[in-house]
Amino acid sequence: MRDAQRRYLSQRQSAWILLAPFLVTYALFLVYPFFRGIWISLHDWNLLAVAFNPDAMEFIGLRNYERVMWGRNIQWGFSAPLWQGLGVIGLALAVFLRRADRLSRFNAIALGVVSLLLVVLPGFHPGEGGRWYDRRFWPTVGNTLVFVGFTVPGVTIAALLLAAGLNRETRAMGILRTLFFLSQVLSVTVVTLIWQIMFSPRQGLIANITKTFGGTPINWLTDQQFAMAAIVIATIWWSLGIAMILFLAGLQDISKDIYEAAALDNARGARAFWFVTLPNLRRTITLVVVLQIILHFQVFGQSHLMTQGGPNDTTQVLVRYIYQTGFRDSELGRASAMAVFLFVIMGAFSIIQFVIGREKDE
Amino acid sequence: MRHVLLTAAAAATLATGAPGAMAQEVTLGRFFGACENAGTDTTTSVGEPCIIQSIINAADAEIDGVSINTLPTDWGNYYDQIKAAFAGGTPPDVFVMHRHRIPEFAGIGALSELSGDLEAAGIDPSDWSENALEAVSYEGGIYGVPMDFHANLWHVNMGLMEAAGLVDDTGAPILPSSPEELLEHARMVEEATGQDYLAADFAQFPIGVRLVLALMWQQDANIFTEDGTATINTEEAANAVTAITQLFDAGYANPQLNYADSQQAFLNGEAAVLVNGTWVVDFYDAQAADPEVALSNYYAADFPTLFDTGATWADSHMWAIPSTLEGAERDAALRVLAFINDHNIDWARTGHMAVRSSVVESEAYTNLPHRDEYAGTAAIARDTPPSERYGAIQDVLNRELQAIWLTGKPVEDALADAELEVQDQLDR
């Protein structure tokens, strides 16, 4: 009896043992590389040179961050009236709506912070004789924001409409749900290959349709005005699936009673969607939007494989720039500094999601 | 326990190390694209991917005690993969590279110096042409085995040229000798056939850059000096760029075609001239023989001289061994290099120029299709001064030139920006 008792572990001990594999893996493959990345970003670190001579790196503090994000004679002023004007309007709205109690405290703060960033960030510009040390970094950040700005609403709205349309329990709807989800399982190489063929001005489906109607085919991937649109379209097609499934799950959580009650008040179809479905899906929509934002900030393959960042850098995105700096140019320190910047952005959105997730239903 | 493991490992090594029991494996990294079922017949394969893979397969089959494992690599990201492999301590035992990458790799000691071992491995460096030896040399050492010279050619659709009256008595195409004549010829082709005069990849890969570089060299100008000063915002560069943009402005060429589309346009008979490298001569020759392809009369011409001196962009493919490789592995790798060197004539079938004098002088070489048509190319081959930042500099030029012809950026602004950015790269 005493022997048998000795073999039992305390709850705490067994918890640690069960957690250990995860914790070790997590520490080894996520925590350690993360801190090492920050460490590398503080060095002048040539990928190839350090591989042959571990002493070939030099500690330079925050110089990499300065070289990437700052410049000579950078000044602040109202140099981008459009964005900064929008920011001022946003700030005023946040204060006004909060005063009038039309906005929750959280939303007011969120709107305020975004507006403040809009006022402050675009205002930096090189003054007389000045210049950015890295002329490509901020435009690249801008391209990434544009990509996220088009892709996230695109995916969200398309997935929501699809989910609403396919939320019926018939065999046909089941098949269609599977079909729409299928694109999600393809790898980025396959997706970009499919869409490169689709967009080809010579043999592409889109070009053939255009020609049938007597139009001139568009060079989607090499035309400055269409290149970003092309990778946004391919991305929306690719990432519809998960968002659609999340919305379907959300839709099935809405009680039928509410629709019946709404129907008695003559709210059917589009009106029911607007007044019943949307409000009940609020949390799912937030989840989808935040997840998509975090996901699409990391866009790489579409830009790398479809347009090579071109034409003239209009589809150059942050992760591709990090990749090029680290591997093509061997400047690992500089690349790590950019990666830390990307981490801060995505970290901010993760915190937003965390806060919203904890917020009690009003 | 550790002792037991070591003993077991030693026993296993002894057992498998017995004569003839196991071949030395050589890992090989290359670009050129994939070829399934290349076979081992090096004399009949067609196109870069299949010719190189047939040579590798033959080496694997014919060299005693050596087996070759071709690593999966991707053209566009090849050097990134090689660098990552070096950084991870597992570079391929043998890998192909361009001569322009030597400063970057040999400069930090990544490449094995070979001059003392070539003869013993059966490679005769005195058979290499002077330029080939120079191509693989760096600070007094030899860091690779050269495989070819490749350069930009003007691939010509003789059917369209004939219709425009641009063929001389010998049956060769009449090519322009000045930017003005270029525009005039383009007009003649357009009027006679309704087709474009010139096609090239101006939209993605740096073929357009190589075109502009050639036209700068033809005016004895360059994009930077040996001592590291960028010289792009110059009259010569502007002349070179406008020689090309005048074709776009007049509608005689389409800047929006990428590599595949420009090639397709040429094969479809929609452009009289395609600017592309030596690597496609055998492919276009085969296409011209295909009755279903619009291109039927194909000519591979030297890059014409539009300014003072002849010049065309050129580079070299070469094979290297990492400096970390030692002993039996290094010997096996050297034997693979020797095998590739022995098959220089097979590789030349692609259209590339051979590096071995004995091959260049052979009848088999001079009898290769179209070879006599671009015999002048070897003498006008040029490249930018050596730089560790070659890739990044090409990228800057590619972006700014694309900005000119794809987004209408003023030539002067683009050249000024390019000069700034290239100087940044040189200063880093």
Side-chain angles (χ1 to χ4, degrees):
Chain A
M1 190 61 191
R2 264 171 61 192
D3 277 359
Q5 243 175 5
R6 205 180 284 162
R7 274 195 222 118
Y8 287 118
L9 296 166
S10 73
Q11 208 169 8
R12 178 181 289 265
Q13 281 170 324
S14 47
W16 276 113
I17 288 177
L18 289 171
L19 274 175
F22 166 75
L23 286 178
V24 168
T25 318
Y26 186 73
L28 213 61
F29 291 104
L30 280 161
V31 179
Y32 169 71
F34 172 70
F35 284 103
R36 188 163 166 85
I38 294 181
W39 176 242
I40 292 176
S41 77
L42 303 176
H43 289 78
D44 194 352
W45 187 304
N46 183 297
L47 177 72
L48 268 183
V50 175
F52 282 90
N53 171 19
D55 299 328
M57 63 210 192
E58 187 194 345
F59 184 83
I60 51 166
L62 296 175
R63 276 300 304 281
N64 278 327
Y65 292 89
E66 189 193 4
R67 283 176 192 162
V68 166
M69 295 175 205
W70 202 240
R72 192 173 58 226
N73 194 14
I74 299 298
Q75 299 171 342
W76 192 87
F78 283 91
S79 56
L82 178 69
W83 296 111
Q84 289 176 299
L86 270 178
V88 171
I89 293 172
L91 268 180
L93 265 180
V95 173
F96 174 74
L97 290 176
R98 181 67 200 138
R99 282 266 168 90
D101 216 19
R102 299 276 298 272
L103 215 57
S104 74
R105 188 155 160 243
F106 176 80
N107 285 345
I109 291 176
L111 180 61
V113 168
V114 170
S115 306
L116 192 65
L117 287 178
L118 261 184
V119 175
V120 173
L121 292 183
F124 290 106
H125 64 276
E128 193 86 11
R131 53 168 297 200
W132 295 104
Y133 292 131
D134 186 335
R135 293 155 32 97
R136 295 177 72 195
F137 180 72
W138 290 112
T140 300
V141 173
N143 290 341
T144 315
L145 285 171
V146 169
F147 176 80
V148 172
F150 280 111
T151 307
V152 172
V155 169
T156 311
I157 293 170
L160 183 58
L161 294 178
L162 269 180
L166 297 177
N167 187 27
R168 260 166 276 166
E169 276 153 37
T170 64
R171 183 171 291 249
M173 291 301 160
I175 293 172
L176 282 176
R177 279 201 293 265
T178 315
L179 276 182
F180 279 112
F181 188 75
L182 267 183
S183 65
Q184 184 89 45
V185 300
L186 299 175
S187 78
V188 67
T189 23
V190 178
V191 171
T192 52
L193 203 64
I194 293 173
W195 281 93
Q196 279 184 73
I197 298 169
M198 289 279 281
F199 285 130
S200 163
R202 308 202 143 259
Q203 58 237 17
L205 179 70
I206 299 175
N208 285 339
I209 294 174
T210 324
K211 273 187 224 160
T212 324
F213 290 102
T216 332
I218 297 167
N219 289 285
W220 284 87
L221 300 177
T222 52
D223 190 315
Q224 187 187 17
Q225 289 167 324
F226 294 101
M228 182 59 92
I231 66 170
V232 167
I233 290 171
T235 308
I236 292 177
W237 179 81
W238 184 32
S239 38
L240 266 181
I242 286 286
M244 187 186 75
I245 293 293
L246 287 171
F247 281 132
L248 277 168
L251 285 172
Q252 276 154 22
D253 268 352
I254 305 176
S255 160
K256 292 255 178 344
D257 304 349
I258 309 181
Y259 285 105
E260 280 167 21
L264 289 179
D265 286 336
N266 210 13
R268 289 191 182 83
R271 282 169 65 89
F273 181 77
W274 187 256
F275 290 108
V276 179
T277 313
L278 276 187
N280 278 293
L281 275 182
R282 245 192 61 202
R283 295 181 67 119
T284 316
I285 294 174
T286 318
L287 174 75
V288 167
V289 166
V290 175
L291 283 181
Q292 297 283 331
I293 288 177
I294 295 171
L295 179 72
H296 292 306
F297 257 108
Q298 303 170 65
V299 57
F300 170 71
Q302 298 94 305
S303 151
H304 191 60
L305 297 169
M306 288 173 72
T307 58
Q308 284 88 49
N312 186 27
D313 253 10
T314 43
T315 56
Q316 173 79 333
V317 288
L318 200 47
V319 177
R320 184 167 189 269
Y321 196 31
I322 293 171
Y323 167 78
Q324 282 190 323
T325 310
F327 289 95
R328 188 195 63 197
D329 304 345
S330 302
E331 293 182 79
L332 215 53
R334 212 179 156 113
S336 300
M338 295 185 207
V340 170
F341 173 84
L342 180 61
F343 166 79
V344 170
I345 294 185
M346 295 197 304
F349 280 103
S350 302
I351 291 172
I352 292 174
Q353 196 218 342
F354 189 67
V355 170
I356 292 177
R358 279 167 55 122
E359 208 183 44
K360 293 226 171 74
D361 280 319
E362 287 158 45
Chain B
M1 185 61 194
R2 193 165 165 209
H3 185 73
V4 176
L5 276 180
L6 280 177
T7 320
T13 319
L14 276 180
T16 52
M22 199 180 163
Q24 179 70 49
E25 192 194 68
V26 172
T27 52
L28 180 144
R30 67 165 181 88
F31 38 73
F32 300 124
C35 176
E36 309 290 336
N37 310 321
T40 54
D41 185 355
T42 61
T43 59
T44 54
S45 37
V46 176
E48 273 190 319
C50 290
I51 294 181
I52 194 64
Q53 195 56 46
S54 69
I55 295 175
I56 293 166
N57 291 349
D60 179 58
E62 290 172 29
I63 307 177
D64 271 343
V66 171
S67 76
I68 302 176
N69 175 16
T70 308
L71 302 171
T73 50
D74 167 60
W75 226 139
N77 307 302
Y78 177 75
Y79 286 106
D80 307 337
Q81 279 180 288
I82 292 289
K83 280 190 201 175
F86 266 109
T90 55
D93 299 337
V94 166
F95 62 98
V96 74
M97 56 187 281
H98 292 93
R99 75 173 289 186
H100 73 248
R101 294 280 174 164
I102 291 187
E104 185 180 3
F105 282 87
I108 51 141
L111 303 183
S112 182
E113 205 280 315
L114 306 173
S115 54
D117 310 297
L118 291 171
E119 306 266 5
I123 302 171
D124 177 12
S126 66
D127 189 25
W128 296 342
S129 71
E130 203 177 310
N131 288 336
L133 180 62
E134 196 200 312
V136 292
S137 300
Y138 179 77
E139 294 186 346
I142 296 178
Y143 288 92
V145 171
M147 182 161 71
D148 65 43
F149 294 107
H150 50 272
N152 258 356
L153 301 177
W154 277 31
H155 304 271
V156 184
N157 180 333
M158 293 303 284
L160 294 181
M161 294 298 260
E162 199 156 8
L166 289 170
V167 177
D168 68 13
D169 303 337
T170 64
I174 299 173
L175 296 179
S177 59
S178 68
E180 295 75 30
E181 216 170 80
L182 174 68
L183 190 65
E184 173 62 14
H185 286 193
R187 189 190 57 76
M188 288 160 73
V189 168
E190 149 79 23
E191 278 179 7
T193 68
Q195 304 295 356
D196 279 354
Y197 179 69
L198 186 133
D201 177 2
F202 289 103
Q204 276 176 355
F205 298 108
I207 304 251
V209 174
R210 295 164 183 176
L211 231 166
V212 169
L213 284 175
L215 296 180
M216 285 180 71
W217 296 326
Q218 293 193 353
Q219 304 168 75
D220 294 313
N222 215 331
I223 51 167
F224 58 93
T225 58
E226 297 268 357
D227 65 5
T229 312
T231 49
I232 301 171
N233 194 8
T234 60
E235 202 190 318
E236 289 85 358
N239 290 342
V241 171
T242 41
I244 296 169
T245 49
Q246 61 173 352
L247 295 182
F248 301 144
D249 295 342
Y252 300 146
N254 179 359
Q256 289 187 324
L257 302 183
N258 62 16
Y259 190 89
D261 288 332
S262 61
Q263 178 164 283
Q264 202 54 50
F266 177 67
L267 295 175
N268 287 358
E270 295 163 15
V273 171
L274 177 73
V275 184
N276 199 357
T278 44
W279 50 87
V280 279
V281 172
D282 71 330
F283 174 61
Y284 295 165
D285 188 58
Q287 289 285 302
D290 183 341
E292 290 190 5
V293 174
L295 171 74
S296 58
N297 192 352
Y298 165 66
Y299 189 100
D302 291 322
F303 196 104
T305 308
L306 300 187
F307 295 95
D308 313 321
T309 13
T312 187
W313 165 87
D315 204 335
S316 266
H317 293 127
M318 51 172 277
W319 290 85
I321 295 177
S323 58
T324 44
L325 209 62
E326 284 168 350
E329 290 179 329
R330 190 163 183 277
D331 291 341
L334 278 164
R335 292 172 71 191
V336 175
L337 295 196
F339 191 91
I340 294 172
N341 190 55
D342 287 343
H343 285 267
N344 202 222
I345 180 67
D346 293 319
W347 181 245
R349 251 194 355 265
T350 52
H352 290 312
M353 291 166 280
V355 289
R356 294 177 54 190
S357 309
S358 59
V359 171
V360 173
E361 286 153 15
S362 71
E363 207 171 310
Y365 183 76
T366 43
N367 286 343
L368 286 171
H370 306 285
R371 186 63 62 168
D372 52 327
E373 297 166 1
Y374 59 100
T377 293
I380 57 170
R382 286 281 301 266
D383 200 4
T384 53
S387 166
E388 287 171 24
R389 313 202 67 88
Y390 188 96
I393 290 171
Q394 289 267 318
D395 189 47
V396 171
L397 293 175
N398 203 19
R399 269 186 285 121
E400 291 299 340
L401 290 177
Q402 279 181 18
I404 295 173
W405 36 71
L406 295 178
T407 70
K409 186 170 178 177
V411 175
E412 233 170 77
D413 296 358
L415 294 178
D417 285 348
E419 182 165 296
L420 263 178
E421 283 205 40
V422 169
Q423 192 61 58
D424 274 359
Q425 292 292 336
L426 293 168
D427 291 343
R428 273 191 197 175

